[in-house]
Amino acid sequence: MDIAERKLTEQAYRTLVDHSLQGMAIVQDGRFVFANQAVETIGGYSVGELLSFSAEEFPGLLHEEDRARLLGYMRDRLAGKPAPSHYEARFYRKDGQTRWIEVSSTRIEHGGRPAIQGIIIDITERKQAEEALQQVLQEHESLIHAIDGIVWQADAHTFRFDFVSQQAERLLGYPVERWIQEPTFWRDHIHPDDREQAISFCVAATAEKRPHEIEYRMLAADGRTVWLRDIITVVVENNEPVQLCGVMVDITERKRVQEILHESEDRYRDLVEHSRDFICTHDLEGHIVSANPWAAKVLGYEIDTILQMNIRDFLAPEVRGGVDAYLAKIQKRGTANGRLLVQTAAGERRIWEYNNTLRTEGVATPIVRGMARDITEHKRAEEEIRTRARQQAAVAELGQRALGSITLSTLMDEAAAVVAQTLEVEYSKVLELLPDGSLLLLRAGVGWKQGYVGHATVDASINSQAGYTLLSNEPVIVEELRTERRFIGPPLLCDHGVVSGMSVIINGKGRPWGVLGAHTTRRRTFTRDDINFLQAVANVLALAIERKRAEEALWESERRYREVVES
């Protein structure tokens, strides 16, 4: 092909690209070096404006929630690492709108150097339509699943379910999949004493094509017997029943109340004595009149001892003063509920949630009926969730800071402060592995004695926790430094009275950059969530360090280029 033919071919290709309905762009060195008219239409920026964006300005076009992912794809693809070639993401138009795009990217050579070529399609309308449809489906599904009963559909002849709402698992404990996949699930799980009568009634009513209701028992996954009221409609086509639609309502509580009303005092007493809640009665001065065995077990006292106590006696000292207000409230209103900080005979502190009522009718002396439930573990779980949320927010904020113009030294100081504050420890440290690999320098930290930061070093061998972390290539948790056998406690930790701590690797290019650690003078068991948080902070530092090195390399390359040009 001669030069004239090649120019004609290139011109034809250029015309095809410029008039394509799909956006086409090339990104090199973190900035646009080519964009067609469709990209201009999609983004609202002119081609000239797009090409003028610097490498520092380019990330600002990407949606903040997708930015790190997309930049990571580009880095991996340029480095020859596996990266998705087809993905969806959001970006900011010139007018401030957030738009969705579908991207197909490949690695190419542009001007003799690697670059990313992308084919871009605006899919915002499609995403909006999908979201609207999903919203409608979710609202419909939520309405069904919000009904306090099992909504179901089944074949009118086989009674095999083809739809069951999520309440089924809540009420009976069986996964919805079992209801649908097992052809005789309903028959198999009806209580044996009710099975024949329930099935016969439904078969007859279905044959007569009439709606019907029936009460029967089913066996739950945990062995419970659940009373259900089944309200059933028969769907008829061509004068033949084809489908059953119904709602199973849990009437176990109603049945239980009916049974209790007919039970003897012995049965009631047995129920109370075997309850796993704290059930008691007390007078209007707080003296315990009765208590169930579970109360004695939880509090650690004998029943006879409890019957000689006042409710003040098993409360934590700092809340006993509130008993008078509680007694006054229940006398005035007849009910009282809330939470108690309880202290057992062994000194353990527990949180109870109570709901008490005053009984004045049918008794010679007014008496308070009390029922309390231990929610200590529930509160601990809530606190763990709050802790995780706080840790995630701290990492996100630090990540945002790292993307800004902050210096690496300042970022390390802030990272150390975030670790100490979020984990509630006295000490945190950022250690840099020195070039010879034998020592780690304390680059940043919180809590250390004056003069340590920037000067103190730690052995990078088994003679320190940080060194052991590098050697083991995994996070290290220490509960008691004095009894640690995997490595020797370094002077840096011993001089500051450290007892517990954890450390993770700050990765670098080719070798670890250093170690991030958190330490406390109190014995503490760090959790997997704590380690994940610390590693996330270390990853933010690793990315910032690598970014800084890349920037320095670019600046040095530009400096040398200018020297060559000027000379």
Side-chain angles (χ1 to χ4, degrees):
M1 180 183 295
D2 59 24
I3 296 176
E5 290 176 340
R6 185 179 297 110
K7 287 184 177 180
L8 288 173
T9 301
E10 291 177 353
Q11 183 177 2
Y13 176 74
R14 181 78 179 202
T15 302
L16 177 64
V17 169
D18 285 340
H19 291 83
S20 172
L21 296 178
Q22 296 179 337
M24 297 185 183
I26 298 176
V27 177
Q28 188 178 63
D29 297 330
R31 56 186 296 273
F32 287 108
V33 294
F34 171 78
N36 68 351
Q37 293 298 319
V39 175
E40 178 177 307
T41 302
I42 293 171
Y45 294 97
S46 68
V47 171
E49 289 175 318
L50 291 171
L51 299 182
S52 70
F53 283 124
S54 66
E56 290 74 22
E57 294 170 323
F58 175 79
L61 298 173
L62 309 178
H63 192 282
E64 58 183 8
E65 295 180 8
D66 298 339
R67 188 176 298 147
R69 174 170 61 91
L70 297 182
L71 294 177
Y73 290 168
M74 294 174 63
R75 284 194 299 270
D76 290 345
R77 186 168 297 283
L78 288 173
K81 298 180 181 179
S85 60
H86 187 82
Y87 47 85
E88 297 178 354
R90 290 162 292 179
F91 76 100
Y92 298 117
R93 274 180 54 89
K94 183 177 182 180
D95 59 11
Q97 292 184 43
T98 297
R99 304 288 289 182
W100 276 95
I101 54 174
E102 184 177 82
V103 181
S104 298
S105 64
T106 56
R107 184 180 186 273
I108 64 169
E109 293 293 322
H110 182 78
R113 294 186 298 115
I116 301 295
Q117 176 179 281
I119 307 299
I120 304 167
I121 302 175
D122 189 334
I123 59 170
T124 305
E125 283 71 24
R126 189 190 81 191
K127 296 293 286 188
Q128 290 172 345
E130 290 174 352
E131 291 175 1
L133 177 60
Q134 186 63 28
Q135 179 67 24
V136 172
L137 293 176
Q138 286 178 351
E139 290 175 356
H140 177 70
E141 184 177 356
S142 297
L143 180 61
I144 291 176
H145 295 311
I147 295 174
D148 190 17
I150 303 171
V151 179
W152 59 269
Q153 291 179 350
D155 185 275
H157 302 289
T158 64
F159 297 134
R160 180 172 183 170
F161 293 108
D162 53 50
F163 173 79
V164 178
S165 66
Q166 294 176 358
Q167 294 284 10
E169 186 167 355
R170 182 183 69 82
L171 292 178
L172 293 175
Y174 300 104
V176 170
E177 292 77 11
R178 285 195 58 185
W179 289 66
I180 296 174
Q181 293 171 2
E182 298 180 16
T184 57
F185 181 90
W186 180 64
R187 302 170 187 263
D188 295 342
H189 293 87
I190 298 176
H191 193 284
D193 294 342
D194 298 344
R195 185 173 296 140
E196 183 178 352
Q197 187 270 338
I199 294 174
S200 298
F201 176 82
C202 288
V203 168
T206 301
E208 296 172 6
K209 301 183 285 292
R210 61 180 175 83
H212 48 284
E213 297 181 13
I214 184 173
E215 294 182 359
Y216 57 90
R217 291 166 290 178
M218 288 191 72
L219 300 177
D222 58 5
R224 290 179 299 113
T225 297
V226 179
W227 272 100
L228 297 174
R229 182 185 180 197
D230 212 345
I231 307 169
I232 306 167
T233 300
V234 182
V235 179
V236 178
E237 293 182 3
N238 299 323
N239 203 33
E240 287 293 327
V242 294
Q243 190 177 54
L244 302 178
C245 301
V247 179
M248 298 178 184
V249 181
D250 184 356
I251 60 170
T252 307
E253 182 64 19
R254 192 191 78 190
K255 289 288 188 179
R256 188 187 71 83
V257 171
Q258 290 173 349
E259 291 173 1
I260 289 176
L261 292 175
H262 296 89
E263 284 178 351
S264 66
E265 183 64 26
D266 289 341
R267 178 67 63 85
Y268 174 76
R269 184 178 298 110
D270 183 67
L271 176 66
V272 171
E273 289 180 354
H274 291 86
S275 172
R276 296 180 66 85
D277 291 332
F278 174 33
I279 301 175
C280 75
T281 59
H282 64 77
D283 63 21
L284 294 180
E285 294 182 351
H287 299 295
I288 302 295
V289 176
S290 67
N292 63 340
W294 184 252
K297 181 178 180 179
V298 171
L299 293 173
Y301 298 103
E302 296 293 333
I303 281 287
D304 292 341
T305 302
I306 291 180
L307 297 180
Q308 298 175 17
M309 298 173 68
N310 190 285
I311 57 176
R312 295 177 175 85
D313 299 331
F314 54 78
L315 296 180
E318 64 267 30
V319 299
R320 291 174 184 171
V323 172
D324 290 337
Y326 153 75
L327 293 173
K329 178 180 179 180
I330 203 164
Q331 288 186 63
K332 181 178 179 180
R333 300 184 180 180
T335 63
N337 56 68
R339 291 175 181 173
L340 298 172
L341 182 59
V342 175
Q343 184 166 297
T344 68
E348 183 183 8
R349 298 160 78 89
R350 310 287 295 180
I351 301 173
W352 286 6
E353 191 171 63
Y354 69 92
N355 188 6
N356 298 353
T357 58
L358 176 65
R359 181 181 180 187
T360 57
E361 297 180 359
V363 292
T365 304
I367 195 168
V368 177
R369 294 173 293 192
M371 179 174 290
R373 175 162 296 175
D374 192 327
I375 61 169
T376 307
E377 301 308 321
H378 176 71
K379 297 300 291 182
R380 286 175 180 170
E382 287 181 345
E383 181 58 32
E384 289 177 2
I385 292 173
R386 284 194 291 268
T387 297
R388 286 198 296 272
R390 188 169 63 250
Q391 291 175 351
Q392 292 168 357
V395 171
E397 183 176 353
L398 186 66
Q400 289 296 317
R401 293 282 291 155
L403 292 174
S405 59
I406 186 174
T407 66
L408 196 55
S409 176
T410 301
L411 181 64
M412 290 181 184
D413 290 337
E414 292 188 6
V418 165
V419 167
Q421 181 179 1
T422 305
L423 293 176
E424 297 179 348
V425 295
E426 300 96 310
Y427 304 105
S428 64
K429 64 186 182 186
V430 178
L431 297 172
E432 179 183 3
L433 183 62
L434 296 180
D436 65 359
S438 64
L439 293 174
L440 291 145
L441 174 65
L442 182 61
R443 281 288 304 272
V446 169
W448 309 104
K449 295 177 182 178
Q450 186 174 1
Y452 274 58
V453 175
H455 300 88
T457 57
V458 174
D459 200 319
S461 69
I462 201 171
N463 292 324
S464 72
Q465 179 177 341
Y468 181 78
T469 303
L470 293 175
L471 293 173
S472 63
N473 195 32
E474 63 182 7
V476 174
I477 299 177
V478 176
E479 289 193 18
E480 177 55 74
L481 185 61
R482 290 175 298 181
T483 60
E484 181 58 52
R485 294 292 179 267
R486 295 172 294 177
F487 55 84
I488 301 171
L492 177 66
L493 301 184
C494 296
D495 291 349
H496 290 81
V498 167
V499 174
S500 300
M502 57 179 176
S503 51
V504 298
I505 293 175
I506 303 173
N507 290 308
K509 189 173 183 179
R511 71 166 195 169
W513 183 89
V515 173
L516 179 64
H519 305 278
T520 177
T521 57
R522 297 172 283 108
R523 184 180 179 88
R524 174 171 169 181
T525 301
F526 289 98
T527 66
R528 171 52 54 183
D529 289 331
D530 295 333
I531 276 290
N532 291 341
F533 163 71
L534 192 65
Q535 187 64 67
V537 175
N539 293 344
V540 171
L541 288 176
L543 290 174
I545 291 166
E546 184 59 31
R547 177 185 172 191
K548 182 66 174 178
R549 286 179 173 175
E551 290 175 350
E552 290 175 350
L554 178 61
W555 292 337
E556 177 62 19
S557 175
E558 291 177 349
R559 184 188 65 79
R560 291 178 180 177
Y561 175 77
R562 285 195 301 269
E563 288 179 353
V564 170
V565 172
E566 291 172 356
S567 62

